[in-house]
Amino acid sequence: MSQSKKCLLIIDMQYDFINGSLKVDEAEQIIPSIRNLINSEQMKFDLIVFTKDDHPRDHISFASNHRDKKPFSEYTYTSESNDNNNFKSLLWPDHCVVGTKGNEIHEDLLKEITDNKINGVETLVVEKGTQSNREFFSCFDDVLNEEHTDLERTLKSKNIQDVYICGLAYDYCVYNSALSSSTLGFKTFIIDNMCKKIDKNWELDNNNIEKITL
Ligand SMILES: [Zn+2]
């Protein structure tokens, strides 16, 4: 029997989340362990995906694009086609704007990639939140589950069954990517020691997602 194929999702390791406008505490600390993981001989992945928050300046998730709203104030996204489809979240400081330094993935991780490979393993970059009017936490779907990236199709076309997830921020984009992954039928693992969260009181509590330490 062939072994199940494994993918690593490295979520949003971009400067704005590491030391920029939406800095996640202690984010820098996980960079060396993620580097070790992508170079590991024991844990060979079949695909390594880097995700990026990739916003235009007028992105709906920026408080600056709403009258009288401050960063970290509450905001509810509502579907244009279905009033009952809502998602309550927060507005953010401007972050990961296309063309800015804050949008770039940390160089310590990027320099591991040569010719779209890391030690022979194919890598790819998935961008999310590219449309002005759509907020994405998951790298598969927007928060209203109406728009989708190509990632599901890509993983299924490569016969990936197991998805391992690390990066930033644990309680937003990592967690929501894991939720989508498990809903889409992938066996889903969060690498607990390679994630950092925004809300210190948040804890992962989901039976369909396995929390592991590597
Ligand atoms: Zn964002």
Side-chain angles (χ1 to χ4, degrees):
M1 212 178 90
S2 68
Q3 272 196 321
S4 57
K5 286 202 171 183
K6 297 197 291 275
C7 168
L8 176 65
L9 302 183
I10 302 173
I11 307 291
D12 299 3
M13 290 298 290
Q14 295 161 274
Y15 285 105
D16 268 343
F17 294 124
I18 294 168
N19 55 21
S21 62
L22 191 41
K23 177 183 185 309
V24 180
D25 273 358
E26 303 176 342
E28 223 140 36
Q29 293 176 10
I30 62 175
I31 296 170
S33 36
I34 296 175
R35 268 188 81 180
N36 288 339
L37 178 63
I38 58 186
N39 287 299
S40 160
E41 285 299 322
Q42 287 83 33
M43 191 76 192
K44 266 279 184 197
F45 294 99
D46 298 284
L47 176 69
I48 296 174
V49 176
F50 291 86
T51 73
K52 278 181 86 173
D53 226 13
D54 201 46
H55 297 317
R57 264 194 202 283
D58 60 350
H59 193 250
I60 192 167
S61 77
F62 299 171
S64 64
N65 289 323
H66 299 264
R67 200 193 291 257
D68 301 328
K69 288 279 193 186
K70 292 212 162 61
F72 305 103
S73 59
E74 285 189 348
Y75 185 77
T76 301
Y77 294 91
T78 305
S79 165
E80 282 174 19
S81 56
N82 173 6
D83 284 349
N84 296 320
N85 184 7
N86 312 294
F87 187 90
K88 200 168 157 187
S89 183
L90 301 179
L91 293 172
W92 310 111
D94 294 15
H95 63 278
C96 301
V97 173
V98 175
T100 64
K101 178 75 181 174
N103 177 284
E104 291 173 21
I105 293 171
H106 196 283
E107 61 187 333
D108 286 357
L109 297 174
L110 272 195
K111 70 185 176 196
E112 300 296 327
I113 306 174
T114 316
D115 296 335
N116 300 318
K117 289 195 165 83
I118 297 174
N119 295 328
V121 177
E122 184 189 354
T123 64
L124 58 96
V125 176
V126 168
E127 287 141 1
K128 62 189 172 69
T130 56
Q131 300 150 275
S132 301
N133 63 343
R134 290 279 165 185
E135 171 69 323
F136 277 69
F137 290 144
S138 164
C139 54
F140 294 92
D141 322 289
D142 80 306
V143 295
L144 298 172
N145 200 21
E146 292 180 332
E147 295 280 332
H148 310 278
T149 65
D150 285 335
L151 186 56
E152 178 190 7
R153 204 176 325 144
T154 304
L155 297 187
K156 289 190 171 163
S157 74
K158 294 177 186 298
N159 293 316
I160 300 288
Q161 283 119 31
D162 296 351
V163 173
Y164 292 76
I165 309 181
C166 64
L168 302 169
Y170 201 162
D171 40 346
Y172 286 91
C173 293
V174 170
Y175 175 60
N176 282 282
S177 295
L179 268 187
S180 307
S181 166
S182 102
T183 303
L184 294 169
F186 301 104
K187 193 161 166 44
T188 304
F189 305 86
I190 285 183
I191 309 168
D192 186 60
N193 56 316
M194 298 184 202
C195 302
K196 292 289 178 187
K197 50 198 175 190
I198 292 175
D199 176 1
K200 288 278 184 294
N201 297 316
W202 181 88
E203 288 296 334
L204 175 64
D205 181 18
N206 187 298
N207 293 332
N208 299 319
I209 301 168
E210 202 170 319
K211 183 160 90 171
I212 59 170
T213 300
L214 289 177

